[in-house]
Amino acid sequence: MENKKGKIPAVFFDRDGTLNVDTGYLHEQEKLQWMPGAREAVKYVNDRGYLAIVVTNQSGVARGMFGEEAVKELHGYMNEELAGVGAHIDAFYYCPHHPEAVVPEYRQECSCRKPKSGLIEQACRDFDIDMEKSLMVGDSPRDVTCGEGAGIRGVLYEGGSLLELLKQYI
């Protein structure tokens, strides 16, 4: 679904509480539980020519609960699971920082921690994204604020089928 300028629209997904059940600092594959219609929603996005991009705060890294490698491994596993329904996430962006981190190298105010829009802005630098047609979908007002701060429409997911929600916008 490229437009005349060659730009591609994207759906930015929050992770915990939007794509998967928020079990609190999820980093273990065996604890991954998909939200209703989440895998189908990603496939729907893929099939319509949109990029599917995850933007997620992962302060468990800053809190010393797990390392960045665990985040990356979980994201790889999520894509393995999505492949089972013919879907995929094009890119995962995460913020490991927190201003009160116990791990010193992650203790900082940053532009990538939602509700700030740094993760979306980085994705837009990495991909030629059509901002006007893109969406940020998340289960928290901070996700909506993040999208709007980057100049894209924010959509609040309040439960139910994620696929049915997306069909209202794409």
Side-chain angles (χ1 to χ4, degrees):
M1 173 173 226
E2 291 188 21
N3 68 19
K4 294 176 206 157
K5 299 175 188 169
K7 292 183 176 276
I8 303 170
V11 174
F12 294 92
F13 291 100
D14 171 52
R15 195 187 83 181
D16 302 328
T18 303
L19 288 177
N20 57 271
V21 174
D22 188 350
T23 58
Y25 304 105
L26 176 68
H27 63 284
E28 299 139 314
Q29 297 175 9
E30 62 274 9
K31 292 186 179 177
L32 174 67
Q33 302 169 52
W34 294 94
M35 293 297 284
R39 287 177 283 196
E40 297 80 6
V42 174
K43 180 167 176 30
Y44 182 79
V45 165
N46 296 156
D47 290 349
R48 272 142 195 83
Y50 283 65
L51 294 171
I53 299 175
V54 169
V55 290
T56 178
N57 289 344
Q58 291 301 310
S59 69
V61 174
R63 298 172 194 277
M65 301 169 81
F66 49 89
E68 288 191 62
E69 194 57 39
V71 175
K72 293 173 186 173
E73 287 175 9
L74 180 66
H75 291 164
Y77 179 71
M78 290 175 79
N79 254 339
E80 289 173 20
E81 290 261 303
L82 287 166
V85 297
H88 67 276
I89 299 293
D90 292 286
F92 291 86
Y93 293 84
Y94 65 94
C95 173
H97 309 115
H98 194 278
E100 299 169 12
V102 297
V103 180
E105 58 265 33
Y106 296 111
R107 187 181 311 125
Q108 61 177 288
E109 289 287 340
C110 64
S111 64
C112 61
R113 184 168 175 75
K114 293 184 294 178
K116 294 180 183 169
S117 56
L119 294 175
I120 291 176
E121 292 165 7
Q122 182 62 53
C124 290
R125 286 190 293 271
D126 294 344
F127 296 93
D128 197 13
I129 293 178
D130 183 338
M131 303 292 283
E132 290 180 18
K133 293 183 180 173
S134 296
L135 302 171
M136 169 65 206
V137 181
D139 67 317
S140 167
R142 77 173 165 241
D143 298 317
V144 173
T145 300
C146 173
E148 291 172 350
I152 64 172
R153 182 175 190 167
V155 176
L156 186 62
Y157 169 63
E158 299 179 287
S161 172
L162 187 57
L163 174 61
E164 293 307 313
L165 176 66
L166 281 180
K167 285 181 177 180
Q168 297 174 40
Y169 297 93
I170 300 175

